[in-house]
Amino acid sequence: MPVSLAFLLTLFLQLLVAPAGIHAQNCFSSQGCADYSNYGINSTVAATLEYDNIVTGAGQTIARDVNGELKIFGRYTALDGIRNLLSPMPINNIMFPGLTGTPLKAGIGSFGSDAQVILLTTDGLWAWGVLNSAVSSSSTVAPNRKFSKIPLGLPAGVTPADVKMMFVTYKSIAITTCAGNVHVLTNSNNSGNAVARGDGSTGTPAGWNTTWSTVQKTDGSPLTNVVATRGGWGMFYALTGAGELYTWGSDTYLGTGTTETAVQNRSRATLMTLPPADPGDGPIKMIGLTADDFIAPTYYVLYQSGKLFAMGAGSARARGYYTLTNGSWNVPEYPSAGNPNAPGPLMTDIKWISPNETDPAYPSINVINSAGRLYNFGEEVYGNLGRDAGDANRYPGQSPTLTGTDIRAVESSGYNTVVITNCQPNFGIAGDNFDGSRGSGIASTIIDDDFTFNTAGIKVCGASNTDMPEINILGAPSINDVGEYCNGTTVELGLSPAGGTLAIRSGTANLNTTDNTISFTTAGLVTIGYTVNVSGCGPVEVIRVFNVNGGCTPNITLTGSVWRDDGNAVINGGEPNLANNMWANLTGPAGEVISSVRVTTSGANLGTYQFLVSKAIINEIGAGNYSIVLTNAGKRQGTILTAADVPANGYGYTGTNNNGTADAANRTGKLNVGDLMAAADNSTLPNLSFGISNDPLVLPVSFGAITAKIIGGQLTVNWSTLKETNNDRFEIEASVDGENFTTIGTVDSKATNGNSDRDLEYQFERNATDSNSLLLSLGVLALGAIGLGATRKFRVLFGLLLLLGVSGFIVSCKNQIHNLWKMANCLFVLHK
């Protein structure tokens, strides 16, 4: 017998979730920051150690946060490779239009005020900044200063998933693969010699700076089993899994002691003499190198025990020795307690090292010991060691502004030292304070040898105290192409942990601490602080700086609403606006989220939204179809969003209304707004609105009779539809508990192009006796109507309870099913 829809069926919406994105494995999982947590003072073994969660160059810094996202700021870091990002901005496809793939690793090659950024994504290599600072400006490598893909790509046979380490220094990149091979792309031609290639090349053979080389040992066989490759200008240094050290390139040492009187060029990886470590020092944990382009490099080896060795050039005191002589392996010395310019105890308790590797001059190193104290030695310039603004060769010592015991990570360059501390959510920087190099929103032109923390808060993967407060942006903000926030817009803040105090520290804006939003009313800098009591630290404040542009002129304004629809997709007085806890997202031609705003939840503007978007961003993204897409939560800027979420609370999409033009057939939750590049400057696109409803009679599929039975071990489901709109297919699902469903079959819609106004009959059959079949333990059966594009599912619950041992079903209700339109009366129907 047919079962009445009014008594039997409860209709609701279910989001079809795509499989989780598969990321490059990088020798181990790259989800979030799981790859990269072996970093900083708590780092462990060499095989999986991550050196580059912070990278800094000549006024540029890149940091990986605890979500795995790379953020960048400083000189020449904007899209065009000329302008400066004054505050940390994510490396994504909005700030850097054209970017494809997921960012994995980044590095900087710099010298003087010049710098070039290299980025590895799951889709290849990218470069921007001053030409020739990291790689050649040839047409096949990096011909543009603007952010662009490197046409040469990765070495032959190497995919992004194969890259364990990407080390970038002045005029060179070295890639270490998961298999332990090393490949070099170099633009370094020290002494007219291409020996940095490490493949036996000498002189300047054709293609020496535009082709990848595979590093070889002196016998011509490939260098293998490498776990880390570091280096400097024209020279490299590698550690193998067996604890061997190799070096190649120009002006290299082998650490052979008194028999080694001068640096030499080595065109292949040459085995070095190990430091005179004790058996109890364990294996080597880290290596590093700092170069002096006028003299020679200094090599470093850190053992698992904490014993540090240095070897090579000593003219800048980069050996941590109290003479200026070159020499073989020695253990650097702390300063004497009574005389800071005299040697004291040996450095045998070091947990982390960071030499200046990105810049070919100013050899120096920062180290963290087991007490969490920062020491450094070598050549200081621009106050980069935090010791003094004047240039000098420094004995081992501490910055007078950073003598505590809570340092968790440090990164060095020739111009800056960046530190992460335990009870400070904002990173600290000493040295160059030019062109946004502090990330504090200010383009100053001063030298500052103090470690200051008036920067942005970034929880650095593997280093930051996870209890530190955070200020996140819920949904993508409206910004221009250098990361300035558009005046007249509102940003919703995500604060964690809850229970802290939010306040404006400087600048002018409207702060609503009830819903944690900040509305920009005046151009200029706005600094907000969020203070939370942290166990072991006391009150801790994280700050965030907003650079507010005077309206992001020219711009485009888009406005619209979400309203309760009666089925005609025409807004009238009887159809009130409805927020339903939804977000509107403006997406680009490739589906990239440009801006995300919450649909207003109260007041006279209930159910409305507005975007104010910089035309500069639109022009950079380019021509194509832009869209507004509804979701149940804000989306991170740059997220690819091709389909809407299914509305919560039992609602479904019923149509759209584009400035008075109704479209009842568009029930996707996505509205095409055309090519915004063609929109006039400072124009407004109004009334881009969406209808939603929780009335079953308004939604796309109207069901007729539905029956299900098992006869002779065969499950048969029959159903009819009275009307279908944009329907693609039906899915039949089974569940043991009425909450977790598994698809057991599909049936295509018989409606022409998914649309029908007449009754249509359907049938699905499946063998229910298979021992692996879910049907043997079936508790609830469900039928889902899937819209075109698979953007939503309308599932009809049969509520069929299988009685094992009885040839039939009992139809019942499951009251635990959440937020359905109406719970039907419980019917019990036995099919003989």
Side-chain angles (χ1 to χ4, degrees):
M1 58 175 283
V3 182
S4 169
L5 182 65
F7 285 94
L8 176 63
L9 303 177
T10 305
L11 190 60
F12 69 96
L13 300 172
Q14 177 192 19
L15 175 63
L16 290 180
V17 180
I22 300 174
H23 301 278
Q25 290 305 296
N26 282 337
C27 313
F28 28 88
S29 170
S30 65
Q31 301 279 347
C33 75
D35 286 356
Y36 310 105
S37 60
N38 187 9
Y39 174 77
I41 192 171
N42 295 319
S43 57
T44 55
V45 298
T48 59
L49 192 138
E50 175 57 50
Y51 285 69
D52 298 317
N53 281 345
I54 307 174
V55 179
T56 186
Q60 309 79 29
T61 297
I62 304 169
R64 185 189 311 279
D65 70 16
V66 293
N67 297 313
E69 186 174 51
L70 295 175
K71 293 183 168 68
I72 187 170
F73 59 91
R75 181 187 292 125
Y76 309 145
T77 54
L79 171 70
D80 58 10
I82 298 173
R83 293 175 295 165
N84 313 315
L85 296 175
L86 303 182
S87 295
M89 299 303 298
I91 299 178
N92 61 27
N93 52 20
I94 302 303
M95 292 309 302
F96 299 93
L99 182 151
T100 55
T102 301
L104 298 174
K105 301 177 184 296
I108 302 169
S110 64
F111 186 28
S113 62
D114 295 344
Q116 191 173 31
V117 179
I118 304 297
L119 174 70
L120 172 70
T121 77
T122 53
D123 193 39
L125 286 171
W126 309 75
W128 69 105
V130 179
L131 297 176
N132 296 305
S133 295
V135 291
S136 169
S137 60
S138 75
S139 61
T140 59
V141 184
N144 301 310
R145 183 159 180 163
K146 183 177 179 179
F147 174 83
S148 57
K149 197 169 187 179
I150 294 179
L152 176 65
L154 290 166
V158 176
T159 70
D162 299 324
V163 178
K164 181 180 190 296
M165 178 178 291
M166 183 180 75
F167 171 74
V168 183
T169 187
Y170 183 56
K171 290 188 176 293
S172 295
I173 305 174
I175 282 178
T176 304
T177 68
C178 295
N181 299 112
V182 181
H183 304 275
V184 171
L185 179 63
T186 182
N187 192 34
S188 177
N189 192 18
N190 288 9
S191 305
N193 211 320
V195 291
R197 289 174 58 86
D199 63 352
S201 296
T202 58
T204 54
W208 71 274
N209 63 342
T210 58
T211 58
W212 287 97
S213 62
T214 299
V215 177
Q216 303 170 359
K217 294 188 288 189
T218 52
D219 63 3
S221 64
L223 179 62
T224 59
N225 194 27
V226 174
V227 297
T229 305
R230 313 306 287 178
W233 184 16
M235 63 197 73
F236 290 98
Y237 181 29
L239 169 67
T240 71
E244 300 169 315
L245 300 174
Y246 286 84
T247 190
W248 67 95
S250 60
D251 302 332
T252 59
Y253 285 114
L254 293 180
T256 54
T258 56
T259 61
E260 187 174 30
T261 58
V263 293
Q264 294 184 25
N265 290 348
R266 293 179 169 87
S267 63
R268 288 187 171 91
T270 305
L271 186 66
M272 301 175 68
T273 298
L274 292 173
D278 297 324
D281 289 327
I284 295 173
K285 174 182 172 180
M286 292 184 75
I287 62 172
L289 183 153
T290 190
D292 188 330
D293 61 319
F294 300 112
I295 303 173
T298 304
Y299 297 79
Y300 303 98
V301 171
L302 176 63
Y303 279 84
Q304 201 74 43
S305 67
K307 186 179 290 184
L308 176 64
F309 286 89
M311 180 271 293
S315 60
R317 295 196 174 92
R319 286 175 60 212
Y321 212 53
Y322 286 79
T323 68
L324 297 178
T325 59
N326 298 353
S328 192
W329 296 109
N330 69 276
V331 178
E333 296 163 289
Y334 287 111
S336 168
N339 183 354
N341 295 328
L346 298 176
M347 291 188 176
T348 59
D349 62 344
I350 304 303
K351 301 291 289 184
W352 182 261
I353 66 172
S354 178
N356 165 28
E357 299 169 314
T358 59
D359 195 290
Y362 319 124
S364 63
I365 185 172
N366 283 275
V367 303
I368 307 172
N369 66 17
S370 58
R373 287 190 168 93
L374 182 75
Y375 285 82
N376 50 45
F377 43 96
E379 184 174 359
E380 182 168 30
V381 62
Y382 298 131
N384 67 317
L385 299 183
R387 306 273 288 273
D388 193 289
D391 297 353
N393 298 324
R394 304 296 179 193
Y395 294 109
Q398 291 185 277
S399 166
T401 59
L402 201 66
T403 59
T405 59
D406 59 354
I407 309 300
R408 300 175 69 92
V410 63
E411 176 68 14
S412 308
S413 74
Y415 293 81
N416 293 107
T417 295
V418 178
V419 296
I420 303 295
T421 66
N422 185 52
C423 287
Q424 173 57 260
N426 307 306
F427 50 84
I429 300 184
D432 183 323
N433 194 2
F434 294 82
D435 304 325
S437 62
R438 295 295 179 97
S440 60
I442 301 172
S444 61
T445 56
I446 63 173
I447 295 171
D448 191 347
D449 61 310
D450 292 337
F451 278 94
T452 57
F453 291 83
N454 60 335
T455 57
I458 297 178
K459 279 190 177 180
V460 174
C461 177
S464 295
N465 184 337
T466 56
D467 293 331
M468 287 293 101
E470 281 188 287
I471 302 174
N472 293 309
I473 304 298
L474 298 181
S478 294
I479 55 175
N480 66 12
D481 58 347
V482 291
E484 295 174 329
Y485 291 76
C486 301
N487 190 29
T489 61
T490 297
V491 173
E492 186 164 352
L493 307 173
L495 306 175
S496 64
T501 302
L502 182 67
I504 294 178
R505 295 303 179 208
S506 65
T508 302
N510 292 329
L511 182 64
N512 186 328
T513 56
T514 300
D515 57 12
N516 296 327
T517 59
I518 183 168
S519 301
F520 303 120
T521 58
T522 305
L525 293 180
V526 177
T527 301
I528 60 172
Y530 182 60
T531 304
V532 175
N533 277 309
V534 176
S535 177
C537 298
V540 174
E541 181 181 51
V542 62
I543 63 173
R544 187 156 191 148
V545 179
F546 297 91
N547 298 287
V548 183
N549 180 281
C552 293
T553 304
N555 57 53
I556 304 171
T557 302
L558 302 94
T559 65
S561 67
V562 176
W563 86 96
R564 192 189 305 272
D565 186 22
D566 65 5
N568 299 315
V570 178
I571 302 174
N572 58 49
E575 298 173 320
N577 284 349
L578 178 70
N580 202 43
N581 298 317
M582 303 205 76
W583 290 68
N585 303 272
L586 178 64
T587 63
E592 64 274 40
V593 173
I594 300 168
S595 188
S596 182
V597 297
R598 188 188 293 271
V599 178
T600 305
T601 57
S602 62
N605 296 320
L606 170 68
T608 64
Y609 64 87
Q610 176 178 296
F611 297 103
L612 177 65
V613 185
S614 167
K615 194 69 181 292
I617 283 282
I618 299 300
N619 291 338
E620 291 290 357
I621 294 173
N625 287 324
Y626 291 73
S627 300
I628 295 173
V629 185
L630 296 185
T631 57
N632 296 323
K635 297 297 180 181
R636 177 179 290 182
Q637 189 182 70
T639 301
I640 299 301
L641 182 63
T642 58
D645 288 349
V646 172
N649 304 314
Y651 280 82
Y653 298 115
T654 60
T656 61
N657 194 294
N658 190 339
N659 198 23
T661 301
D663 183 1
N666 180 4
R667 301 188 176 198
T668 64
K670 180 177 180 179
L671 178 59
N672 181 2
V673 296
D675 185 359
L676 294 185
M677 272 195 72
D681 290 353
N682 305 314
S683 59
T684 298
L685 280 65
N687 304 323
L688 303 168
S689 300
F690 299 83
I692 65 174
S693 177
N694 62 357
D695 182 349
L697 299 179
V698 173
L699 291 167
V701 177
S702 296
F703 285 88
I706 304 175
T707 61
K709 57 188 176 183
I710 293 179
I711 297 178
Q714 185 80 5
L715 168 67
T716 301
V717 183
N718 292 285
W719 71 95
S720 64
T721 62
L722 308 178
K723 180 180 179 181
E724 296 182 36
T725 304
N726 292 330
N727 187 37
D728 181 65
R729 65 191 186 277
F730 300 89
E731 284 188 0
I732 296 85
E733 297 181 332
S735 172
V736 174
D737 58 11
E739 295 180 357
N740 301 293
F741 287 83
T742 299
T743 299
I744 60 173
T746 62
V747 175
D748 290 339
S749 171
K750 295 180 181 179
T752 303
N753 297 321
N755 298 293
S756 171
D757 288 323
R758 62 186 181 86
D759 293 358
L760 297 174
E761 301 290 334
Y762 294 92
Q763 185 177 80
F764 168 78
E765 294 182 326
R766 176 167 172 175
N767 188 336
T769 61
D770 183 351
S771 61
N772 294 321
S773 177
L774 175 67
L775 299 181
L776 289 177
S777 57
L778 177 67
V780 180
L781 195 66
L783 173 66
I786 315 290
L788 292 170
T791 60
R792 64 194 183 282
K793 177 187 294 183
F794 297 88
R795 179 191 288 155
V796 177
L797 284 185
F798 290 120
L800 297 177
L801 175 64
L802 177 62
L803 296 182
L804 295 177
V806 178
S807 179
F809 279 102
I810 293 180
V811 181
S812 66
C813 297
K814 183 173 178 63
N815 291 326
Q816 293 91 336
I817 297 171
H818 303 293
N819 296 322
L820 304 179
W821 286 321
K822 298 175 183 177
M823 286 306 301
N825 294 328
C826 293
L827 286 182
F828 294 86
V829 179
L830 180 64
H831 297 275
K832 298 294 186 180

